[in-house]
Amino acid sequence: MTATPASIRIGISGWRYAPWRGGAFYPQGLTQARELAYASRQFRAIELNGSFYALQKPESYARWASETPDGFAFTVKAPRYITHILRLEKPELPIANFLASGLFALGPKLGPILWQFPPSMAFDADRFEAFLALLPHDADAAVRLARRHEPRMKGRALVVAGGVGAVRHAVEVRHASFADAAFVRLLRRYKVAWVIADTGGRWPEFEDITADFAYLRLHGADQLYATGYSDAQIDRWADRIRHWSQGGEPADAKRIADLRPPRRAHRDVFCFFDNTMKTEAPTNARRLASLLGAAPTDNAGLF
């Protein structure tokens, strides 16, 4: 089975980690200001994490876009204020603020938006359907919602989506109650991806495909955010990604719902290594990308 490299993006979650410096991943002597430029030439996508902790600024998104090559993609982690503090209570204005905070400055480099929910938050069908119904799926809808931002965003809002195409969303949940076919049906109805997460058995680990793309987060084979993946484990993930990329699924896919996803000619796949506490993430990501023929041209000689 041959994968379609153009549809597969293997990357890392964040890029600013002290253990990666000094030759461990970043070349000796590389300044921190050049780390994104280097990392974005080793991988085809990176998860932006700073947006989870605080709204970023349009000029920051514009700078990140300028430092990365054509064809690169950022996935953007939505604010914890919406997912962890408000817990989806009256989320429309906060979502508008988030969309207006500068995402559109990424232009065609804007990948899926990641919505991560805390382990203490259980499935509430009405609340989640109301949330999913708010999410825009194209640039025009995203701009319309962004323009509803609060007055406090005046002077730091960007509500012009130059170059942005489809707006995709992925949801990562961590409470056992989400292992419910009703939630899978909701995600499919609103074309939002279930995040396939590897968590060492700590949180739900299912592989339902609910959108026209797949989104994986590999948090650590045994210990969250720390332990790496063996060659055999990476080989297994490569095989699964090949199936998802070609529009199908592995024969042993662990699904919540009995209904198989619709067969497609191909499916985009985003896969991020989040075992970032040491140097495992970039090492594992490089091997997986190489196996799948999804590595970018090596531009390390530029640094």
Side-chain angles (χ1 to χ4, degrees), residues 116 174 203 219-220 223-227 274-278:
Q116 180 196 87
R174 293 179 168 179
W203 297 315
H219 296 290
Q223 183 184 351
L224 291 175
Y225 314 124
T227 54
D274 192 29
N275 50 338
T276 53
M277 289 173 59
K278 301 177 183 178

Side-chain angles (χ1 to χ4, degrees), residues 226-286:
T227 54
Y229 289 83
S230 68
D231 287 352
Q233 288 168 327
I234 291 176
D235 289 347
R236 178 180 179 274
W237 282 113
D239 181 68
R240 303 182 90 68
I241 288 171
R242 289 188 189 101
H243 281 86
W244 288 316
S245 174
Q246 294 199 343
E249 65 175 357
D252 62 345
K254 185 181 178 183
R255 287 185 277 109
I256 297 166
D258 290 337
L259 185 65
R260 289 181 177 273
R263 180 76 193 185
R264 301 178 61 88
H266 72 276
R267 183 181 293 113
D268 292 345
V269 179
F270 295 80
C271 176
F272 298 95
F273 284 86
D274 192 29
N275 50 338
T276 53
M277 289 173 59
K278 301 177 183 178
T279 58
E280 307 293 354
T283 300
N284 293 164
R286 275 176 163 162

